[in-house]
Short mmCIF file of all heavy atoms in Angstrom, two decimals:
data_model
loop_
_atom_site.label_atom_id
_atom_site.label_comp_id
_atom_site.label_asym_id
_atom_site.label_seq_id
_atom_site.Cartn_x
_atom_site.Cartn_y
_atom_site.Cartn_z
N VAL A 21 -4.03 210.81 99.02
CA VAL A 21 -5.22 210.27 99.72
C VAL A 21 -4.98 209.93 101.15
O VAL A 21 -5.70 210.34 102.10
CB VAL A 21 -5.88 209.09 99.04
CG1 VAL A 21 -6.95 208.53 99.79
CG2 VAL A 21 -6.35 209.47 97.63
N TRP A 22 -3.81 209.31 101.42
CA TRP A 22 -3.49 208.79 102.72
C TRP A 22 -2.73 209.73 103.65
O TRP A 22 -2.39 209.46 104.74
CB TRP A 22 -2.67 207.48 102.56
CG TRP A 22 -3.59 206.28 102.30
CD1 TRP A 22 -4.29 206.06 101.19
CD2 TRP A 22 -3.92 205.22 103.23
NE1 TRP A 22 -4.97 204.93 101.24
CE2 TRP A 22 -4.73 204.38 102.52
CE3 TRP A 22 -3.46 204.96 104.49
CZ2 TRP A 22 -5.28 203.22 103.10
CZ3 TRP A 22 -3.95 203.70 105.05
CH2 TRP A 22 -4.82 202.90 104.45
N GLY A 23 -2.43 210.94 103.05
CA GLY A 23 -1.67 211.93 103.84
C GLY A 23 -0.30 211.47 104.28
O GLY A 23 0.21 211.80 105.36
N SER A 24 0.28 210.67 103.47
CA SER A 24 1.63 210.13 103.78
C SER A 24 2.70 210.62 102.80
O SER A 24 2.43 211.40 101.85
CB SER A 24 1.64 208.61 103.67
OG SER A 24 1.28 208.13 102.35
N SER A 25 3.91 210.24 103.07
CA SER A 25 5.03 210.74 102.27
C SER A 25 6.03 209.60 101.92
O SER A 25 7.21 209.85 101.82
CB SER A 25 5.79 211.85 102.95
OG SER A 25 6.26 211.41 104.21
N VAL A 26 5.46 208.40 101.75
CA VAL A 26 6.40 207.23 101.45
C VAL A 26 6.94 207.41 100.08
O VAL A 26 6.30 208.03 99.18
CB VAL A 26 5.60 205.92 101.58
CG1 VAL A 26 5.34 205.63 103.08
CG2 VAL A 26 4.36 205.88 100.76
N SER A 27 8.09 206.79 99.78
CA SER A 27 8.85 207.08 98.54
C SER A 27 8.44 206.00 97.56
O SER A 27 8.74 206.30 96.32
CB SER A 27 10.34 207.11 98.74
OG SER A 27 10.74 205.89 99.40
N SER A 28 7.92 204.86 97.91
CA SER A 28 7.71 203.76 96.90
C SER A 28 6.72 202.76 97.53
O SER A 28 6.48 202.70 98.73
CB SER A 28 9.13 203.08 96.62
OG SER A 28 9.60 202.36 97.78
N TRP A 29 6.29 201.90 96.67
CA TRP A 29 5.45 200.80 97.17
C TRP A 29 6.22 199.89 98.08
O TRP A 29 5.62 199.28 99.02
CB TRP A 29 4.80 199.98 96.02
CG TRP A 29 3.79 200.85 95.25
CD1 TRP A 29 3.90 201.32 93.98
CD2 TRP A 29 2.60 201.26 95.74
NE1 TRP A 29 2.76 202.03 93.65
CE2 TRP A 29 1.94 202.02 94.76
CE3 TRP A 29 1.84 201.20 96.99
CZ2 TRP A 29 0.69 202.67 94.88
CZ3 TRP A 29 0.64 201.77 97.17
CH2 TRP A 29 0.03 202.48 96.10
N ASP A 30 7.48 199.67 97.82
CA ASP A 30 8.29 198.91 98.71
C ASP A 30 8.26 199.46 100.16
O ASP A 30 8.23 198.74 101.17
CB ASP A 30 9.70 198.74 98.32
CG ASP A 30 9.82 197.85 97.06
OD1 ASP A 30 8.89 197.11 96.84
OD2 ASP A 30 10.84 197.93 96.31
N ALA A 31 8.22 200.77 100.24
CA ALA A 31 8.18 201.44 101.61
C ALA A 31 6.83 201.25 102.21
O ALA A 31 6.77 201.02 103.40
CB ALA A 31 8.40 202.91 101.42
N VAL A 32 5.76 201.23 101.36
CA VAL A 32 4.42 200.90 101.95
C VAL A 32 4.46 199.51 102.56
O VAL A 32 3.76 199.18 103.60
CB VAL A 32 3.32 201.04 100.95
CG1 VAL A 32 2.00 200.64 101.47
CG2 VAL A 32 3.30 202.44 100.35
N ALA A 33 5.18 198.61 101.94
CA ALA A 33 5.23 197.25 102.40
C ALA A 33 6.05 196.99 103.68
O ALA A 33 5.85 195.98 104.39
CB ALA A 33 5.79 196.34 101.31
N THR A 34 6.95 197.98 103.93
CA THR A 34 7.89 197.72 104.99
C THR A 34 7.90 198.81 106.14
O THR A 34 8.25 198.47 107.23
CB THR A 34 9.35 197.68 104.45
OG1 THR A 34 9.62 198.88 103.67
CG2 THR A 34 9.44 196.42 103.54
N GLU A 35 7.50 200.03 105.81
CA GLU A 35 7.70 201.19 106.76
C GLU A 35 6.26 201.40 107.43
O GLU A 35 5.18 201.19 106.80
CB GLU A 35 8.10 202.42 106.09
CG GLU A 35 9.47 202.32 105.44
CD GLU A 35 9.88 203.51 104.67
OE1 GLU A 35 9.10 204.53 104.78
OE2 GLU A 35 10.88 203.52 104.02
N PRO A 36 6.24 201.78 108.71
CA PRO A 36 4.97 202.18 109.32
C PRO A 36 4.33 203.27 108.55
O PRO A 36 5.00 204.38 108.32
CB PRO A 36 5.39 202.55 110.73
CG PRO A 36 6.72 201.95 110.93
CD PRO A 36 7.40 201.94 109.61
N ILE A 37 3.04 203.15 108.28
CA ILE A 37 2.30 204.25 107.66
C ILE A 37 1.74 205.26 108.70
O ILE A 37 1.43 204.87 109.78
CB ILE A 37 1.10 203.67 106.83
CG1 ILE A 37 1.67 202.71 105.76
CG2 ILE A 37 0.30 204.78 106.15
CD1 ILE A 37 2.67 203.33 104.81
N ALA A 38 1.76 206.51 108.37
CA ALA A 38 1.29 207.54 109.26
C ALA A 38 -0.05 207.22 109.84
O ALA A 38 -0.79 206.44 109.26
CB ALA A 38 1.34 208.86 108.59
N ALA A 39 -0.42 207.97 110.87
CA ALA A 39 -1.76 207.77 111.49
C ALA A 39 -2.91 207.95 110.38
O ALA A 39 -2.67 208.73 109.42
CB ALA A 39 -2.01 208.86 112.57
N PRO A 40 -4.03 207.31 110.51
CA PRO A 40 -5.01 207.35 109.51
C PRO A 40 -5.41 208.85 109.27
O PRO A 40 -5.52 209.55 110.20
CB PRO A 40 -6.19 206.62 110.08
CG PRO A 40 -5.55 205.64 111.07
CD PRO A 40 -4.30 206.39 111.57
N PRO A 41 -5.54 209.25 107.94
CA PRO A 41 -5.88 210.62 107.71
C PRO A 41 -7.30 210.99 108.12
O PRO A 41 -7.64 212.17 108.27
CB PRO A 41 -5.58 210.77 106.26
CG PRO A 41 -5.83 209.36 105.69
CD PRO A 41 -5.35 208.45 106.78
N PHE A 42 -8.16 209.98 108.09
CA PHE A 42 -9.64 210.27 108.38
C PHE A 42 -10.12 209.20 109.36
O PHE A 42 -9.59 208.13 109.47
CB PHE A 42 -10.40 210.18 107.10
CG PHE A 42 -9.92 211.05 105.99
CD1 PHE A 42 -9.23 210.49 104.91
CD2 PHE A 42 -10.15 212.40 105.99
CE1 PHE A 42 -8.75 211.27 103.86
CE2 PHE A 42 -9.59 213.29 104.96
CZ PHE A 42 -8.99 212.62 103.94
N THR A 43 -11.19 209.55 110.10
CA THR A 43 -11.91 208.58 110.86
C THR A 43 -13.44 208.69 110.59
O THR A 43 -13.88 209.78 110.16
CB THR A 43 -11.67 208.81 112.37
OG1 THR A 43 -12.14 210.08 112.72
CG2 THR A 43 -10.18 208.59 112.77
N ARG A 44 -14.15 207.63 110.85
CA ARG A 44 -15.59 207.76 110.69
C ARG A 44 -16.25 207.20 111.95
O ARG A 44 -15.76 206.26 112.61
CB ARG A 44 -16.11 207.00 109.47
CG ARG A 44 -15.62 205.63 109.34
CD ARG A 44 -16.14 204.99 108.00
NE ARG A 44 -15.36 203.71 107.70
CZ ARG A 44 -15.55 203.05 106.60
NH1 ARG A 44 -16.42 203.43 105.72
NH2 ARG A 44 -14.89 201.91 106.37
N ASN A 45 -17.39 207.78 112.28
CA ASN A 45 -18.07 207.40 113.55
C ASN A 45 -19.08 206.35 113.28
O ASN A 45 -19.94 206.52 112.39
CB ASN A 45 -18.64 208.67 114.15
CG ASN A 45 -19.16 208.43 115.57
OD1 ASN A 45 -20.09 207.65 115.82
ND2 ASN A 45 -18.47 209.15 116.55
N PHE A 46 -19.08 205.32 114.13
CA PHE A 46 -20.07 204.22 113.96
C PHE A 46 -21.48 204.68 114.21
O PHE A 46 -22.49 204.11 113.69
CB PHE A 46 -19.65 203.07 114.96
CG PHE A 46 -20.67 202.03 115.09
CD1 PHE A 46 -20.94 201.05 114.17
CD2 PHE A 46 -21.37 201.86 116.32
CE1 PHE A 46 -21.77 200.05 114.28
CE2 PHE A 46 -22.33 200.83 116.48
CZ PHE A 46 -22.47 199.97 115.44
N PHE A 47 -21.67 205.62 115.11
CA PHE A 47 -22.95 206.01 115.55
C PHE A 47 -23.67 207.03 114.76
O PHE A 47 -24.86 207.24 114.86
CB PHE A 47 -22.92 206.52 117.00
CG PHE A 47 -22.39 205.46 118.00
CD1 PHE A 47 -21.08 205.48 118.40
CD2 PHE A 47 -23.20 204.48 118.43
CE1 PHE A 47 -20.61 204.52 119.27
CE2 PHE A 47 -22.80 203.50 119.31
CZ PHE A 47 -21.39 203.53 119.71
N THR A 48 -22.99 207.74 113.85
CA THR A 48 -23.55 208.73 112.96
C THR A 48 -23.19 208.57 111.55
O THR A 48 -22.05 208.16 111.33
CB THR A 48 -23.17 210.17 113.51
OG1 THR A 48 -21.77 210.24 113.36
CG2 THR A 48 -23.55 210.34 114.92
N HIS A 49 -24.09 208.95 110.66
CA HIS A 49 -23.73 208.94 109.21
C HIS A 49 -22.89 210.17 108.95
O HIS A 49 -23.40 211.34 109.20
CB HIS A 49 -24.90 208.93 108.31
CG HIS A 49 -24.58 208.85 106.87
ND1 HIS A 49 -24.15 207.72 106.26
CD2 HIS A 49 -24.66 209.84 105.89
CE1 HIS A 49 -23.88 207.96 105.03
NE2 HIS A 49 -24.22 209.19 104.76
N ASP A 50 -21.68 210.01 108.40
CA ASP A 50 -20.82 211.07 108.21
C ASP A 50 -20.82 211.62 106.75
O ASP A 50 -20.36 211.06 105.81
CB ASP A 50 -19.30 210.60 108.39
CG ASP A 50 -18.31 211.74 108.53
OD1 ASP A 50 -18.73 212.85 108.15
OD2 ASP A 50 -17.23 211.53 108.98
N HIS A 51 -21.63 212.73 106.62
CA HIS A 51 -21.78 213.28 105.26
C HIS A 51 -20.53 213.86 104.68
O HIS A 51 -20.48 214.12 103.53
CB HIS A 51 -22.91 214.27 105.28
CG HIS A 51 -24.25 213.75 105.64
ND1 HIS A 51 -24.99 213.08 104.72
CD2 HIS A 51 -24.97 213.75 106.76
CE1 HIS A 51 -26.12 212.64 105.24
NE2 HIS A 51 -26.10 213.07 106.57
N ALA A 52 -19.50 214.11 105.61
CA ALA A 52 -18.23 214.61 105.00
C ALA A 52 -17.57 213.65 104.04
O ALA A 52 -16.85 214.11 103.14
CB ALA A 52 -17.29 214.85 106.18
N GLN A 53 -17.97 212.34 104.20
CA GLN A 53 -17.40 211.36 103.24
C GLN A 53 -17.81 211.70 101.76
O GLN A 53 -17.12 211.49 100.87
CB GLN A 53 -17.78 209.96 103.65
CG GLN A 53 -17.13 208.93 102.78
CD GLN A 53 -17.34 207.54 103.38
OE1 GLN A 53 -17.48 207.42 104.61
NE2 GLN A 53 -17.26 206.53 102.57
N GLU A 54 -19.06 212.09 101.67
CA GLU A 54 -19.64 212.45 100.35
C GLU A 54 -19.03 213.69 99.82
O GLU A 54 -18.88 213.88 98.56
CB GLU A 54 -21.15 212.47 100.40
CG GLU A 54 -21.83 211.17 100.48
CD GLU A 54 -21.92 210.69 101.89
OE1 GLU A 54 -21.78 211.40 102.81
OE2 GLU A 54 -22.18 209.49 102.10
N ARG A 55 -18.82 214.67 100.76
CA ARG A 55 -18.31 216.00 100.29
C ARG A 55 -16.81 215.98 99.92
O ARG A 55 -16.37 216.77 99.15
CB ARG A 55 -18.56 217.03 101.44
CG ARG A 55 -19.99 217.27 101.70
CD ARG A 55 -20.22 218.53 102.54
NE ARG A 55 -19.51 218.41 103.84
CZ ARG A 55 -20.04 217.92 104.96
NH1 ARG A 55 -21.32 217.53 104.92
NH2 ARG A 55 -19.41 217.85 106.03
N ASP A 56 -16.11 215.14 100.49
CA ASP A 56 -14.62 215.10 100.38
C ASP A 56 -14.16 213.83 99.61
O ASP A 56 -14.23 212.76 100.11
CB ASP A 56 -13.94 215.10 101.72
CG ASP A 56 -12.44 215.26 101.59
OD1 ASP A 56 -11.87 214.96 100.59
OD2 ASP A 56 -11.80 215.57 102.66
N PRO A 57 -13.79 213.99 98.27
CA PRO A 57 -13.46 212.79 97.53
C PRO A 57 -12.21 212.07 98.06
O PRO A 57 -12.16 210.81 97.92
CB PRO A 57 -13.18 213.48 96.12
CG PRO A 57 -12.81 214.88 96.39
CD PRO A 57 -13.66 215.28 97.53
N LEU A 58 -11.33 212.78 98.63
CA LEU A 58 -10.14 212.03 99.30
C LEU A 58 -10.63 211.14 100.45
O LEU A 58 -10.22 209.98 100.54
CB LEU A 58 -9.07 213.04 99.72
CG LEU A 58 -8.37 213.87 98.67
CD1 LEU A 58 -7.37 214.75 99.34
CD2 LEU A 58 -7.75 212.97 97.60
N ARG A 59 -11.47 211.65 101.24
CA ARG A 59 -12.01 210.86 102.39
C ARG A 59 -12.85 209.68 101.86
O ARG A 59 -12.66 208.55 102.34
CB ARG A 59 -12.92 211.85 103.19
CG ARG A 59 -13.50 211.22 104.45
CD ARG A 59 -14.44 212.20 105.14
NE ARG A 59 -14.99 211.73 106.32
CZ ARG A 59 -14.45 211.83 107.56
NH1 ARG A 59 -13.28 212.52 107.65
NH2 ARG A 59 -14.99 211.38 108.59
N GLY A 60 -13.69 209.90 100.89
CA GLY A 60 -14.41 208.82 100.25
C GLY A 60 -13.52 207.73 99.72
O GLY A 60 -13.78 206.56 99.86
N ARG A 61 -12.42 208.13 99.02
CA ARG A 61 -11.55 207.19 98.45
C ARG A 61 -10.80 206.40 99.55
O ARG A 61 -10.51 205.18 99.40
CB ARG A 61 -10.53 207.88 97.54
CG ARG A 61 -9.86 206.89 96.58
CD ARG A 61 -9.06 207.65 95.51
NE ARG A 61 -8.41 206.71 94.67
CZ ARG A 61 -7.51 207.04 93.68
NH1 ARG A 61 -7.33 208.39 93.45
NH2 ARG A 61 -6.93 206.17 92.91
N TYR A 62 -10.34 207.05 100.60
CA TYR A 62 -9.67 206.40 101.74
C TYR A 62 -10.56 205.32 102.30
O TYR A 62 -10.13 204.15 102.49
CB TYR A 62 -9.32 207.42 102.74
CG TYR A 62 -8.84 206.79 104.09
CD1 TYR A 62 -7.57 206.19 104.17
CD2 TYR A 62 -9.64 206.68 105.12
CE1 TYR A 62 -7.12 205.65 105.29
CE2 TYR A 62 -9.25 206.08 106.37
CZ TYR A 62 -7.95 205.55 106.39
OH TYR A 62 -7.50 204.98 107.57
N PHE A 63 -11.84 205.62 102.57
CA PHE A 63 -12.69 204.61 103.18
C PHE A 63 -13.06 203.52 102.22
O PHE A 63 -13.33 202.41 102.60
CB PHE A 63 -13.93 205.29 103.83
CG PHE A 63 -13.63 206.09 105.08
CD1 PHE A 63 -13.96 207.40 105.19
CD2 PHE A 63 -13.06 205.39 106.11
CE1 PHE A 63 -13.60 208.07 106.31
CE2 PHE A 63 -12.70 206.12 107.29
CZ PHE A 63 -12.97 207.47 107.40
N ALA A 64 -13.07 203.84 100.97
CA ALA A 64 -13.34 202.75 99.92
C ALA A 64 -12.11 201.76 99.91
O ALA A 64 -12.37 200.58 99.77
CB ALA A 64 -13.48 203.40 98.51
N ASP A 65 -10.95 202.32 100.17
CA ASP A 65 -9.80 201.38 100.31
C ASP A 65 -10.01 200.44 101.48
O ASP A 65 -9.72 199.23 101.45
CB ASP A 65 -8.50 202.19 100.45
CG ASP A 65 -8.03 203.03 99.31
OD1 ASP A 65 -8.49 202.75 98.24
OD2 ASP A 65 -7.25 203.97 99.52
N CYS A 66 -10.38 201.09 102.66
CA CYS A 66 -10.55 200.33 103.90
C CYS A 66 -11.57 199.23 103.63
O CYS A 66 -11.43 198.07 104.10
CB CYS A 66 -10.97 201.19 105.01
SG CYS A 66 -9.65 202.38 105.51
N ASP A 67 -12.70 199.56 103.01
CA ASP A 67 -13.78 198.58 102.87
C ASP A 67 -13.42 197.47 101.83
O ASP A 67 -13.75 196.33 102.10
CB ASP A 67 -15.03 199.37 102.33
CG ASP A 67 -15.70 200.23 103.35
OD1 ASP A 67 -15.26 200.16 104.51
OD2 ASP A 67 -16.51 201.15 102.97
#
C-alpha cells in the first residue's frame, strides 16, 4: 500500500519512510481514491 520496502515493523519505527505514494487535492474531489483500493487504504490510514 505504501510503496515502501521496509523489512520489519521495527524498521517502520526507526527508518525514514519513502515519499508518500499518493496525494489528494484539497480543492477537488479525487475519484481516483474510489477506483484504486490501494489509494483508498492509504488515505484511510492517514485519516
Side-chain angles (χ1 to χ4, degrees):
V21 173
W22 279 69
S24 61
S25 57
V26 291
S27 59
S28 66
W29 290 112
D30 287 340
V32 177
T34 57
E35 298 176 8
I37 300 301
F42 308 105
T43 59
R44 51 184 168 181
N45 192 294
F46 170 71
F47 298 100
T48 61
H49 182 74
D50 191 349
H51 294 284
Q53 184 169 337
E54 285 82 17
R55 295 193 300 268
D56 185 341
L58 295 182
R59 184 183 182 90
R61 194 168 180 185
Y62 169 77
F63 287 121
D65 293 342
C66 294
D67 292 347

